[in-house]
Structure formats: C-alpha cells, structure tokens
Amino acid sequence: MRRHGGVVCTAALCASLLLAACGPTQHTGSAAPSPTQVAQLPVPRGKGSKVPDDFNGDGHRDLVLGDLVKAQAHADDAGIGIVYGSARGLVPGARQLIAPGKQGAATDGQLPAVFDPETTCDLDQDGFTDLLVSTDPPYDGQGRPPVPLQILFGSPTGLTGKAVHLTVPPAARDGNDWPDQPVCGDFDGDGAEDLVLHATGGQLSYLRGPFTRKGAPRAAGAPVASPGEVPTGPAADVNRDGYDDLVVRTTEGTGTSAVVLGGPQGPTRTGAALPSGIDVALGAFGKGKALDAAVGAMGGTSLRYDLPAATKGSLDSAGSMLDAADFDGDGLGELVSSGSRLRLFHGRTTGLSTKDVVTVEPDAVGTSRVVGVGDYDGDGRADLAVRTYRGETKDTVTVYPGAKKGLVAAEPAVTFSTSAFLTS
C-alpha cells in the first residue's frame, strides 16, 4: 500500500513472510491473550487532513487489511478490513468491512466477487484518502479488457458509499493488456495526485489528477515509454526535485528494475537502474541529497542496497521482502527485511548499519507477514504491524510502536484478530 509524503517510502511486493527468532537484538512481546471479538465502535468523524491513509480525515493514519480470516474454511473472501487510528494508535473496535457485494460497482450488470486493495491516496483533493481496489469484471477474452480498478472515496465517516469505476481514456491505453498495477504520486508536481498504470509492451498509462467523483482523470495522453512492465509503488521524490518518482520492474517476481523520474510531463525519464531482486524499498537510509534503494536479493540469503547516485554494498540478511520507515524519529529511514526472520536495520548518517540489528518475533504461532508500517499514533515515529496466520479461520495482528531506543517497543500496543470483521 502506498505511503506518500514522508521522507521514507517502500516499494514492496506481496508475499507471505515467515518469522523466527534470531539476531543480536530481539524484541519479543509477552504472551498475548487470545484475541477475541472486539466490540464495534463508531468511526471517528473527521474534517479532512493531509495524513497518509486517513480515510476519515481525523488526522490519524488508518490500516488496510486485504486478507481477512473466514467464518469457516473454504468460505468466500470476506473483503477488505479498515482499522481506524487515533491519538492512542489503531483502535480495533473502530473498524469497517469493505465487501464487493455491498460497495462494488457493477460491470455489465454484474457485481464483482473480489475486492483486493491496490493503493491509497487523495485522488479528488478533498482531504480524505481514497482506496483503489482491483476487481474481477466479466471478460470473454476478446479484444480490449475492461478496467478492473474501482475507487472508494473517503469521507468524514470513512470509506462510505458505492465504489466507482476508474476511467482510463482509450487514448491512454495501448494493446489488449489489463490496465492494472496502479501507483499514486504527484508525478508532474502540480500538487494533485496522479495515477500510473501498466499498459501493453513496456508502456505506462499516465492519468493526471485530480480525479472527479465519477473516477475520471483531469487529463490523460498517449502511453509513455517505460523500462519495464510492472509499475511499483509507493512513489517517492527520489532526487528531491519536487516531482514524485516510482520504481518500474521488468517482470513480476524476480528481475531488474529502474527508477522512473517524474517531471513537468509526468514520469517520462528513466533514472538509476537497479539489480535483479525480489523486492525494492526506497528510503533515506543515510545523509544525502537523494533517497536510497534497497534490493532484496534472490534466494533470500543477502540484501543489497544501492545509493542510486553513488555506491553499492551488501547486508547479511535472511530476508528479501522489504519495507522502510523511520521508527526512531531521527529523520533517517530504517530497513525492514523479512523472510525466515524479521529484522530492522538502523539508518545512520553513513547508511544502513549492521552493528545493532533488531529482530522482531511475534508471540503468536504461525506464518507471519508485515501488513503495515506507518505512524498510527501520531508521535512522529513509524509503527510496525504484523499479522500471524494460523489457518483460514485464525490469525493475530500485533502492532509494535516505534521507539527512540530499540526502534520498536518490546511489547505490542495492540493485539487483535481480523475475525472481528466477521461481525462488522
């Protein structure tokens, strides 16, 4: 999910992350109580803000959960869960279930069966973050497929109302590929959020914002040339020139990638080339004029980081799935490396440090993955949200607050199960 407007950003692909204890520094929460159903609370009413992922505009960041447990094994997908934030952090009771049967827009008279969260940003500039989701519109395989993306607009009470189809003008498409892989960013520097989508044959569809409440962009020209097939977010102003940039991968999964630089005409210039890897994260890992890029190496045995304008190095890490955020509030980004272990590398003035690596081990038993990094309690330090999956009907979400010392707190501030959404 997109995390825009901060000093550090990530460009992470979806994968399950196995976590186990290891490393010189370890944060292990105490035995958490078994998560139970949390009483439903009203969504706090907001007036609009510029905080990322703030769907109700109350000034506090919210969490998107795209994979919820089910009432019983093999049941249909439950939908998307939103947990709303507060001055105390995430409040599991203040939650909302987004389901395609209730909020989806019909295509050719057919409601979608699937809602998958793709990216978030304030597309219509009203102060409330909006959510882009991918759906499964009917398609017979002939000719140009329909646009699979829909927009749920934020409001003072969160993501309310029906979704609308994203409009991709015919002139902005090329060939018969699905227009997908959306990335939000202000790529032309006009203050409005734009969208970049995949187009056929190494091209990008570039839609200029702001967008109307009917899902139409302000403008869109012909597709622009791209060094790869897969635009990857979140966007970030890598070279600090006032225009957002993004990473474009050559293929899904492993492969090389490149930074595509924004400018007055949008994301039209290819910048630094990045080596082959499974994942990429952008962050201010050291003092410098530009952001840095970390690349998760193939095989999950090491991690390379590349300062696009200068040097390359390597880190000893068993993880290849990456996130970046400023957990201690010092203005430098830390790198989260996940795989067989979940480890946090300190950002220092000289770059990422290997001397005081922090290992995080959730107490819950099962397969875990990072579901969010962001400042959910508004204290200026990013927090770490981890979901441990114990089967189709059981899971645990734990949120570790950021800390000046140790990067994250030893004890989680919030523990809950996504099964709570079954009663929403």
Side-chain angles (χ1 to χ4, degrees), residues 278-289:
I278 296 174
D279 201 4
V280 180
L282 303 175
F285 301 128
K287 287 291 186 181
K289 295 182 179 180

Side-chain angles (χ1 to χ4, degrees), residues 1-10 50-54 61 119-123 129 183-189 191-194 233-238 242-246 291 324 373-374:
M1 297 280 77
R2 184 171 139 71
R3 306 286 184 266
H4 174 61
V7 178
V8 292
C9 305
T10 75
K50 294 183 178 181
V51 173
D53 291 354
D54 185 8
R61 192 171 193 145
T119 190
T120 64
C121 57
D122 184 3
L123 290 170
T129 302
V183 177
C184 282
D186 182 9
F187 301 109
D188 57 6
E193 294 284 349
D194 313 313
D237 184 2
V238 172
Y243 303 98
D244 275 349
D245 316 307
L246 75 156
L291 297 186
V373 287

Side-chain angles (χ1 to χ4, degrees), residues 26 59 72 89 104-105 108 123 132 142 154 161 174 177 189 218 226 272 301 309 342 357 369 390 412 419:
Q26 184 171 312
Q72 58 187 11
D108 294 336
L123 290 170
L132 273 85
Q142 303 299 313
D174 182 73
D177 281 7
R218 175 178 62 83
S226 169
T301 57
L342 193 158
V357 179
R369 66 185 179 96
R390 292 181 289 161
S419 62

Side-chain angles (χ1 to χ4, degrees), residues 330-350:
D330 65 353
L332 297 176
E334 277 71 51
L335 182 70
V336 182
S337 169
S338 302
S340 61
R341 291 173 288 174
L342 193 158
R343 306 178 73 187
L344 280 68
F345 294 86
H346 278 268
R348 303 298 191 192
T349 56
T350 56

Side-chain angles (χ1 to χ4, degrees), residues 27 73 111 125 142 154 170 178 181 189 276-277 314 332 382-383 412 419:
H27 287 270
L111 285 172
Q125 291 188 305
Q142 303 299 313
W178 289 91
Q181 307 289 340
S276 180
S314 63
L332 297 176
D383 311 312
S419 62

Side-chain angles (χ1 to χ4, degrees), residues 70 75-80 98-107 109-116 133-138 148 150:
K70 304 171 183 178
D76 291 339
D77 184 12
I80 299 169
I98 306 297
K102 293 183 178 180
Q103 281 92 1
T107 302
Q110 180 176 315
L111 285 172
V114 173
F115 260 7
D116 288 324
V133 300
S134 59
T135 66
D136 56 342
Q150 298 186 9

